[in-house]
Amino acid sequence: MGAKLVYGDETRWEVCEEVAGKTGHRWSLWVTPSASVVCYRLAPGRGADVPKAHLATLRTDLVAVVLVWDRYSADQCLAQDHGALIVASCWAPVRRDVLKAARSWPELERWMVTWVDDMRALSHLKKARLEGWDETGPLAQQSAAFAECHRDLETHLSQMQARCEAPLLDPDLHLVKQKVLSRLHHHGDGLTVFVERPEVAMDKNTAERILRNPVVGRKNSDGSGRVWSAPLAARRLSVLQTVWLWGLNPPHWLSVFLQAGADKGGRCPTDLRAFLPWHMTPERREERARPAPVTLSPLTDQAQEGDAMAGVDTS
């Protein structure tokens, strides 16, 4: 809740139990990853109340927090409810709209190619600008190489904005073009957040990549069997994905945590700082990144020794 840049996405998750007032078994698994934590939430629906509840605990002293979303319909509500929040839109749906229009109307293929090339050039300019960016300094005090790339990016973006707004004044504009360009114009502010905030991506691929493992698991397990197990799955995913985000070895981390609980008689350790990656020393994180050491009990050693004496192959 202290992050300045958060990504957001959601996918379906089956909960195979009847719930009063809900039709069907389709729930939604939401993810909001930041630079240090991956947080999952499971909810019966995909309404704006879910991200609102999550963002309600944002630290009050934060300003200009950026949330990168997939052109979410409730983004304006989120921004209004949280004055510190800036909602950045993803460029992938814009590209998808253009390609879909050309597939439906072959005569729009040249128009489609122009826009796809423009978006590709914009992405290259953003990457080139990042090579000279010093994240510790303000935008106005960056290097000459960064300033040159920044001017090229602004020029290219202004040309794209002109090619979007000028055709919208034509009353005879193709209906499909009007629909695509109107949507692009409507989300223009969110699509250009990255200009003044170089650390902000043009897409939400960060969230999509983190959702990939749960999606594969969902296809194998069909989701959750009971309502009580759904939030447990979300908490488990949050812990393991956060551990993985820090480069730790999840089985090693889990074995240490579970052993600490066993040493306390099956109770959760009261001091969790030893298990939180951001509280670990670099040496501890390096140790936890390796596989867990395998220790054999004396009884196991004696059994293997007896097998060897008897000529049993234990390899």
Side-chain angles (χ1 to χ4, degrees), residues 139-191:
L139 203 63
Q141 298 178 8
Q142 297 292 323
S143 65
F146 176 91
E148 182 180 358
C149 292
H150 184 70
R151 285 193 297 270
D152 292 342
L153 185 144
E154 288 185 319
T155 300
H156 185 75
L157 190 59
S158 64
Q159 293 172 352
M160 292 178 64
Q161 289 174 333
R163 282 197 291 273
C164 172
E165 295 173 0
L168 290 174
L169 301 176
D170 184 3
D172 298 325
L173 181 65
H174 193 290
L175 185 61
V176 175
K177 285 186 180 181
Q178 184 182 33
K179 182 178 179 180
V180 174
L181 295 179
S182 296
R183 187 175 294 176
L184 176 60
H185 177 73
H186 176 72
H187 293 278
D189 291 340
L191 291 168

Side-chain angles (χ1 to χ4, degrees), residues 291-297:
V294 178
T295 57
L296 299 177
S297 65

Side-chain angles (χ1 to χ4, degrees), residues 258-270:
L258 294 175
Q259 185 60 50
D263 294 341
K264 285 187 170 292
R267 296 187 299 274
C268 181
T270 55

Side-chain angles (χ1 to χ4, degrees), residues 41-290:
R41 281 174 177 255
L42 262 169
R46 59 187 305 269
D49 56 319
V50 181
K52 280 184 179 181
H54 178 73
L55 296 171
T57 54
L58 277 174
R59 275 174 35 189
T60 56
D61 61 332
L62 294 178
V63 293
V65 179
V66 177
L67 171 65
V68 183
W69 212 282
D70 184 8
R71 211 163 56 181
Y72 184 47
S73 59
D75 56 358
Q76 299 301 323
C77 298
L78 291 174
Q80 291 173 3
D81 290 354
H82 303 278
L85 189 66
I86 300 172
V87 180
S89 301
C90 176
W91 276 88
V94 179
R95 185 176 184 274
R96 203 157 49 234
D97 287 345
V98 174
L99 294 175
K100 182 179 178 181
R103 284 196 296 267
S104 301
W105 300 85
E107 62 269 25
L108 300 181
E109 182 176 358
R110 184 181 298 274
W111 172 81
M112 176 270 295
V113 170
T114 301
W115 274 102
V116 170
D117 288 344
D118 280 343
M119 286 183 271
R120 183 182 297 114
L122 187 64
S123 178
H124 288 323
L125 287 170
K126 184 187 185 309
K127 292 179 180 178
R129 185 180 64 158
L130 279 178
E131 294 178 0
W133 180 51
D134 178 11
E135 60 182 9
T136 61
L139 203 63
Q141 298 178 8
Q142 297 292 323
S143 65
F146 176 91
E148 182 180 358
C149 292
H150 184 70
R151 285 193 297 270
D152 292 342
L153 185 144
E154 288 185 319
T155 300
H156 185 75
L157 190 59
S158 64
Q159 293 172 352
M160 292 178 64
Q161 289 174 333
R163 282 197 291 273
C164 172
E165 295 173 0
L168 290 174
L169 301 176
D170 184 3
D172 298 325
L173 181 65
H174 193 290
L175 185 61
V176 175
K177 285 186 180 181
Q178 184 182 33
K179 182 178 179 180
V180 174
L181 295 179
S182 296
R183 187 175 294 176
L184 176 60
H185 177 73
H186 176 72
H187 293 278
D189 291 340
L191 291 168
T192 56
V193 172
F194 72 92
V195 177
E196 300 299 324
R197 298 284 295 269
E199 73 276 14
V200 177
M202 291 178 59
D203 51 54
K204 60 178 183 63
N205 289 348
T206 298
E208 290 183 346
R209 284 193 294 268
I210 290 176
L211 272 179
R212 188 173 300 157
N213 283 341
V215 168
V216 173
R218 176 198 68 198
K219 292 179 178 178
N220 291 326
S221 67
D222 293 329
S224 301
R226 294 290 183 266
V227 172
W228 67 264
S229 67
L232 177 61
R235 289 196 294 270
R236 181 185 60 191
L237 289 169
S238 298
V239 170
L240 294 179
Q241 287 288 117
T242 299
V243 168
W244 185 265
L245 178 68
W246 282 82
L248 306 183
N249 184 287
H252 191 174
W253 185 93
L254 276 174
S255 66
V256 174
F257 179 79
L258 294 175
Q259 185 60 50
D263 294 341
K264 285 187 170 292
R267 296 187 299 274
C268 181
T270 55
D271 187 0
L272 295 176
R273 286 177 297 179
F275 308 101
L276 300 177
W278 48 91
H279 284 311
M280 291 181 184
T281 63
E283 294 77 16
R284 177 62 63 85
R285 285 200 294 269
E286 183 179 356
E287 178 190 353
R288 295 290 185 265
R290 297 192 293 267

